[in-house]
Amino acid sequence: MLESDGRKGQNEGKEERYMRLYDKPITAYLHNDLTAFESEENDKQLVYLFEKGYVTVLGEFQSDKYVGGKACIIFNQEDVISVDRGMLRFVDGES
């Protein structure tokens, strides 16, 4: 887990943020297909495609951009992206 560097002032009054990379990747089931395309200027080329199914979870981090405040870093043997933790069903006992 990444920790604060101990400097005061910058994070006073803010909740401590973290990023944690798992020692052993975890298997989870992704409930929905996820796709992203580049803008029209780039001919709408496919950036990534994650099909519904099993993915490898490499770690997690806190972010206000995600509903539960926590996101997971997932890998599908080709790409790595982050998703809201609620989009995954963990099968290796992690919750």
Side-chain angles (χ1 to χ4, degrees):
M1 177 162 71
L2 297 178
E3 297 182 17
S4 171
D5 62 8
R7 287 186 274 177
K8 296 192 180 224
Q10 291 180 316
N11 293 323
E12 277 187 42
K14 294 182 182 178
E15 184 179 326
E16 186 68 29
R17 299 278 181 212
Y18 74 92
M19 176 180 280
R20 181 177 139 210
L21 297 176
Y22 301 145
D23 292 331
K24 179 183 174 195
I26 297 170
T27 301
Y29 188 81
L30 178 65
H31 295 283
N32 301 321
D33 290 342
L34 301 174
T35 56
F37 295 91
E38 290 190 28
S39 65
E40 288 191 33
E41 292 106 28
N42 294 323
D43 300 324
K44 292 189 175 184
Q45 295 177 358
L46 181 67
V47 175
Y48 65 77
L49 167 64
F50 275 70
E51 293 180 341
K52 176 171 68 171
Y54 292 99
V55 295
T56 302
V57 183
L58 304 173
E60 65 184 50
F61 63 95
Q62 284 184 300
S63 174
D64 294 336
K65 295 180 182 181
Y66 295 91
V67 173
K70 195 179 284 187
C72 290
I73 304 161
I74 63 171
F75 175 60
N76 69 351
Q77 306 306 317
E78 190 172 320
D79 294 308
V80 175
I81 64 169
S82 61
V83 297
D84 188 281
R85 190 174 177 90
M87 295 184 72
L88 302 170
R89 179 176 51 85
F90 291 88
V91 296
D92 283 349
E94 182 78 16
S95 55

